Amino acid sequence: MSWQSYIDDHLMCEIDGQRLTAAAIIGHDGSVWAQNDSFPQFKPEDITAIMNDFTEPGSLAPTGLHLGATKYMVIQGEPGAVIRGKLGSGGVTVKKTNMALIVGIYENPMTPGQCNMIVEKMGDYLVDQGM
């Protein structure tokens, strides 16, 4: 199975009539393994800052989580495993696996919980697979 099929068939799937706005699987080094067409163009320093927050939880809180031109306010997460961000009625969930970051972006009417479930289930599956 290609990485793109994880995006197309799993991360961008419909849940209760809703779906993510954008999704990507990004290596710890910032390399894009797969993404959908609407995923924002990000800078290498965006991924570096996210990776630093997994090592030093809370380091993104003062500056926010940036993905390209978009800045999310960092809200609750799981230190070392999940970072969640909010922007207006939407937000982002980032799940760290052994080798990659699973990123899901959502807009209203999708709920934060629906986004978290999609992204974190995929991340947990990849962790179980050694990825």
Side-chain angles (χ1 to χ4, degrees):
M1 183 183 294
S2 76
W3 288 113
Q4 191 62 45
S5 67
Y6 282 95
I7 299 289
D8 300 337
D9 300 337
H10 302 287
L11 290 172
M12 296 302 295
C13 67
E14 193 171 291
I15 300 274
D16 297 330
Q18 307 303 320
R19 70 178 65 233
L20 294 172
T21 305
I25 302 173
I26 302 168
H28 288 182
D29 62 358
S31 61
V32 176
W33 293 9
Q35 66 183 25
N36 75 321
D37 292 339
S38 61
F39 196 81
Q41 183 68 28
F42 59 87
K43 301 176 208 145
E45 54 265 27
D46 298 341
I47 303 307
T48 300
I50 291 169
M51 289 301 296
N52 287 343
D53 194 80
F54 283 118
T55 305
E56 300 171 33
S59 65
L60 279 178
T63 60
L65 185 157
H66 292 263
L67 282 175
T70 306
K71 176 183 173 182
Y72 297 90
M73 178 178 66
V74 177
I75 56 175
Q76 94 282 3
E78 297 171 28
V82 179
I83 300 169
R84 298 183 184 105
K86 189 86 172 120
L87 176 64
S89 62
V92 63
T93 302
V94 182
K95 168 74 175 177
K96 181 179 181 253
T97 71
N98 300 332
M99 300 170 64
L101 301 174
I102 313 303
V103 183
I105 299 172
Y106 69 95
E107 293 292 336
N108 191 33
M110 178 172 255
T111 66
Q114 289 169 320
C115 177
N116 296 343
M117 183 178 68
I118 292 168
V119 171
E120 293 175 37
K121 273 186 153 181
M122 173 61 66
D124 291 342
Y125 170 77
L126 292 177
V127 167
D128 290 346
Q129 299 303 306
M131 303 298 291

